[in-house]
């Protein structure tokens, strides 16, 4: 039974990674920027969820605000930090992104304190249900449901609507899409809006899962999300989704069977490095 | 020279070796590394482990340097397989793998690190001068590499790998050389740090440390020896000069990274002599 439980727990984490990593993949696919500051957006979402929920008593309202504020933050990051330097080589935006991430993390420490905040009323992270012998908390179930709903919703949007088709066209060939009347700047805004809202919701959910929100919480998750994006073949959404789930499962097994040699965070990167040695283009990437 | 000045000189010297080492990899050869602290740590752990066994300073320093350089070349191999953005994430990963490994090893002290390391056999002031001498030697080595045939080749690889290959540059050899030299220097810095601090903790070598070194390189001007030299000294002294700067050190580093990249991607060196538009 341990085997099945490890797989299920791994998939739960995989769903959370997917919500983070899709935003990163979209940014990379469109702008070729390693958006490390995504971690800050994730933590911002968590802080919004916890403070608004504690202030109003409504979890739903807390998450709506978390998604909205994260989306606005994402757009602001694009407009103020990235847009002025897009003409430089990839190194420049990456360094800006690192700087921005540090500033956000330190900002949270100054504003909300270094010791972290818990939800006043959070019965869902301990309350659990048994599914065929595997016990899952309500938050874990919510994580899976939310990520499936949001990502399927996004898939339908990208596949079926005019705006979604314009978006995909821009990712494939910005120049061609522009000459067919797609506004590339609007696509970028949409991109940051959606990816950042997802990261904010993921942050709120992780806050609920651990019942704890702290300034550095974005770090480990988003470094792993970066690893996933590379693993999936930078810029490939399908690869990213598969890589998220695979990494979640690999980690959950590694944390048990390699516990004496490596900690949990190292296992994900070890897996990444091994995969890249065999397939430098990532799991589904094309050369 | 007071004990305080001696410790300042030691820290500046160690940071100079780290930053100039990274500058060879990222600045000269154009290979992004976000895991420099891992090699610093490799050198430190190797030196500390041997020092506890009773090995003398020259031997431990050499072993730390060799260990970091050897692993650095192995990591450099990844730069032959993956490029640019992949490499940034891979080197970041190396840092986490190193930390995750060290933290779980009981024989390396786990989370508590290694303490009770014997002294260098020198007083604080002569030891600080020794570190300073190492730093000067590294600066001289950097200048020599930059002006040598190898420096021009690094430049070509950094500028356009494929073009360099077309004109007959063995790109792989030069990338591995850059990784080998840069990471070996980080190992030396680690060994020197061990005898200075006499205790090492895993967290000293975390991602934040890698970013701090990268900050010194980027703000000085990626690839400019004098720029990196000046910015490393300035950024190391900054927290000493003002109490506020010490409390908000990371915030200031982050803000500086953003502002420098926004207004002068060439760093301080770029401000001094503005390059012709390419």
């Amino acid at each position: 039974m341990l085997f099945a439980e490890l797989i299920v727990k791994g998939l739960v984490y995989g769903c959370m990674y997917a919500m983070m990593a899709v935003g990163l993949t979209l940014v990379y696919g469109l702008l070729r920027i390693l958006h490390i500051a995504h971690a800050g957006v994730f933590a911002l979402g968590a802080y919004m969820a916890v403070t608004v929920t504690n202030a109003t008593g409504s979890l739903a309202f807390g998450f709506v605000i978390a998604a909205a504020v994260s989306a606005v933050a994402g757009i602001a990051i694009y407009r103020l930090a990235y847009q002025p330097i897009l003409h430089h080589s990839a190194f420049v935006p990456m360094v800006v992104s690192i700087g921005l991430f540090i500033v956000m993390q330190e900002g949270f420490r100054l504003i909300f304190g270094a010791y972290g905040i818990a939800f006043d009323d959070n019965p869902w992270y301990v309350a659990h249900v048994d599914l065929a012998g595997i016990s899952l908390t309500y938050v874990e179930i919510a994580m899976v449901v939310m990520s499936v709903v949001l990502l399927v919703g996004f898939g339908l949007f990208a596949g079926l609507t005019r705006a979604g088709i314009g978006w995909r066209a821009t990712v494939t060939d910005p120049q061609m899409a522009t000459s067919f009347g797609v506004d590339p700047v609007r696509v970028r805004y949409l991109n940051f809006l959606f990816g950042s809202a997802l990261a904010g919701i993921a942050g709120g959910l992780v806050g609920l899962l651990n019942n704890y929100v702290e300034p550095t919480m974005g770090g480990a998750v988003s470094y792993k999300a970066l690893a996933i994006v590379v693993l999936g073949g930078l810029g490939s959404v399908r690869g990213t989704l598969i890589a998220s789930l695979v990494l979640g499962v690999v980690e959950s097994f590694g944390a048990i069977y390699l516990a004496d040699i490596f900690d949990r965070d190292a296992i994900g990167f070890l897996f990444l490095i091994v995969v890249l040695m065999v397939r430098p283009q990532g799991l589904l990437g094309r050369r | 020279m007071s004990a305080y000045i001696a410790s300042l000189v030691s820290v500046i010297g160690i940071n100079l070796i780290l930053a100039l080492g990274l500058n060879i990899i990222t600045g000269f050869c154009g290979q992004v590394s976000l895991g420099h602290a891992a090699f610093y740590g490799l050198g430190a752990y190797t030196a500390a482990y041997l020092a506890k066994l009773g090995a003398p300073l020259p031997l431990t320093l050499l072993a730390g340097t060799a260990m970091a350089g050897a692993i650095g070349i192995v990591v450099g191999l990844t730069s032959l397989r993956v490029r640019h953005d992949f490499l940034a994430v891979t080197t970041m990963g190396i840092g986490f793998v190193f930390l995750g490994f060290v933290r779980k090893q009981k024989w390396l002290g786990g989370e508590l690190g290694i303490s009770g390391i014997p002294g260098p056999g020198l007083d604080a002031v002569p030891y600080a001068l020794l570190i300073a001498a190492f730093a000067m030697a590294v600066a001289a080595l950097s200048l020599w590499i930059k002006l040598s045939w190898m420096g021009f080749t690094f430049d070509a690889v950094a500028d356009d790998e494929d073009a360099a290959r077309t004109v007959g540059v063995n790109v792989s050899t030069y990338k591995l050389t850059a990784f080998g030299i840069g990471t070996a220097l980080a190992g030396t810095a680690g060994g020197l740090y061990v005898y200075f601090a006499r205790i090492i903790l895993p967290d000293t070598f975390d991602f934040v440390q890698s970013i701090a070194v990268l900050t010194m390189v980027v703000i000085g001007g990626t690839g400019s020896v004098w720029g990196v030299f000046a910015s490393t000294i300035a950024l190391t002294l900054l927290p000493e000069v003002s109490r506020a700067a010490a409390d908000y050190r990371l915030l200031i580093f982050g803000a500086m990274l953003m502002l420098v990249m926004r207004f002068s991607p060439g760093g301080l060196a770029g401000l001094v002599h503005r390059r012709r538009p390419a």
Side-chain angles (χ1 to χ4, degrees):
Chain A
M1 217 55 231
L2 176 69
F3 194 76
E5 185 154 355
L6 285 177
I7 290 187
V8 171
K9 294 277 177 187
L11 291 176
V12 170
Y13 269 87
C15 286
M16 185 257 287
Y17 292 149
M19 279 195 272
M20 272 300 277
V22 163
L24 286 172
T25 297
L26 293 176
V27 172
Y28 190 85
L30 201 57
L31 298 174
R32 306 277 140 186
I33 294 176
L34 278 185
H35 181 32
I36 292 168
H38 207 51
V41 176
F42 172 84
L44 178 68
Y47 271 109
M48 284 302 128
V50 72
T51 48
V52 173
T53 304
N54 284 352
T56 63
S58 162
L59 187 68
F61 187 61
F63 270 79
V64 169
I65 295 291
V69 172
S70 303
V72 171
I75 290 176
I77 288 172
Y78 164 68
R79 181 64 193 82
L80 301 175
Y82 293 146
Q83 203 186 51
I85 49 167
L86 282 179
H87 56 284
H88 289 296
S89 68
F91 182 69
V92 173
M94 187 191 78
V95 172
V96 167
S97 199
I98 292 174
L100 184 61
F101 167 54
I102 296 173
V103 168
M104 290 180 86
Q105 190 169 306
E106 292 297 295
F108 296 140
R109 201 190 303 279
L110 289 177
I111 298 168
F112 298 105
Y115 296 108
I117 311 175
F119 284 86
D120 290 339
D121 178 29
N122 178 9
W124 307 285
Y125 85 109
V126 274
H128 51 82
V129 281
D130 267 2
L131 289 175
I134 297 165
S135 90
L136 286 173
T137 67
Y138 282 90
V139 181
E140 286 173 326
I141 294 170
M143 188 97 87
V144 175
V145 172
M146 282 289 249
S147 68
V148 169
V149 167
L150 290 170
L151 293 172
V152 167
F154 166 67
L156 292 176
F157 167 77
L160 301 178
T161 64
R162 266 186 85 79
I165 292 166
W167 182 349
R168 284 189 297 142
T170 312
V171 172
T172 315
D173 189 336
Q175 231 168 1
M176 194 64 95
T178 310
S179 61
F180 275 85
V182 180
D183 179 357
V185 176
R186 265 174 62 193
V187 169
R188 288 173 193 168
Y189 281 133
L190 197 64
N191 204 337
F192 274 87
L193 182 144
F194 179 77
S196 305
L198 263 187
I201 292 171
L205 284 171
V206 170
L208 268 181
L209 184 70
N210 303 324
N211 198 29
Y212 189 64
V213 174
E214 53 167 342
T216 54
M217 68 181 286
V221 177
S222 67
Y223 304 146
K224 268 180 264 180
L226 280 171
I228 287 165
V229 170
V230 172
L231 206 54
L234 278 164
S236 149
V237 174
R238 191 177 303 142
T240 302
L241 294 179
I242 294 171
S244 303
L245 298 178
V246 169
L247 189 82
V249 173
V250 165
E251 259 191 2
S252 109
F253 277 87
I256 298 292
Y257 294 108
L258 295 175
D260 294 337
I261 313 171
F262 289 107
D263 70 1
R264 194 185 172 98
D265 293 345
I267 289 163
F269 279 108
L270 201 64
F271 180 64
L272 166 79
I273 292 165
V274 170
V275 170
L276 281 186
M277 288 300 99
V278 184
R279 280 184 67 83
Q281 70 276 40
L283 288 174
L284 289 193
R286 262 174 265 138
R287 273 291 213 186
Chain B
M1 200 192 267
S2 72
Y4 173 67
I5 301 287
S7 82
L8 265 190
V9 169
S10 304
V11 174
I12 290 175
I14 289 168
N15 282 343
L16 275 175
I17 301 173
L18 284 174
L20 290 168
L22 181 61
N23 190 39
I24 292 176
I25 303 173
T26 303
F28 291 2
C29 201
Q31 307 301 303
V32 181
S33 172
L34 297 181
H36 208 56
F39 303 101
Y40 182 37
L42 266 171
Y45 267 94
T46 307
Y49 189 74
L50 292 176
K52 289 276 275 188
L53 293 179
L57 184 140
L59 184 68
T60 59
L61 266 192
L62 206 63
T65 306
M67 183 67 145
I71 304 283
I73 290 176
V74 174
V75 172
L77 287 173
T78 64
S79 75
L80 309 181
R81 300 279 283 163
V82 301
R83 272 203 218 171
H84 307 305
D85 307 320
F86 278 50
L87 184 61
V89 177
T90 310
T91 50
M92 175 196 259
I94 299 289
F96 285 96
V97 172
F98 169 76
L99 269 192
F101 177 74
V102 165
R103 283 202 171 119
K104 289 282 183 181
Q105 304 308 306
K106 289 205 178 62
W107 55 283
L108 291 175
E111 293 282 357
L112 298 175
I114 301 178
S115 56
I117 296 159
L122 292 168
D123 284 337
V125 172
Y127 188 60
L129 292 176
L130 178 74
I131 293 178
F134 265 102
M136 289 306 154
V138 172
L141 175 75
S142 294
L143 280 176
W144 178 75
I145 290 178
K146 196 178 165 79
L147 298 174
S148 72
W149 182 245
M150 185 155 65
F152 293 121
T153 322
F154 280 157
D155 235 12
V157 173
D159 232 26
D160 188 337
E161 221 174 90
D162 297 320
R165 197 173 281 117
T166 312
V167 295
V169 172
N170 189 341
V171 172
S172 310
T173 314
Y174 282 92
K175 278 188 184 176
L176 288 183
T177 311
F179 264 99
I181 298 174
T183 54
L185 289 175
T188 313
L192 291 168
Y193 173 77
V194 160
Y195 289 98
F196 165 72
R198 309 279 289 277
I199 174 170
I200 51 174
L201 296 166
D203 287 346
T204 312
F205 312 107
D206 62 2
F207 184 59
V208 173
Q209 176 70 39
S210 293
I211 296 307
V213 178
L214 184 72
T215 307
M216 293 166 189
V217 172
V218 165
I219 288 179
T222 317
S224 155
V225 176
W226 291 115
V228 171
F229 196 89
S231 83
T232 302
I233 294 177
L235 289 180
T236 312
L237 286 179
L238 187 71
E240 304 295 329
V241 179
S242 110
R243 179 77 206 147
D247 291 345
Y248 304 121
R249 175 173 165 267
L250 280 177
L251 192 67
I252 293 169
F253 274 26
M256 282 173 91
L257 278 180
M258 289 173 67
L259 292 174
V260 166
M261 284 292 110
R262 172 73 178 80
F263 296 106
S264 172
L268 292 178
L271 284 179
V272 176
H273 40 87
R274 284 212 175 268
R275 291 246 179 99
R276 289 159 276 128

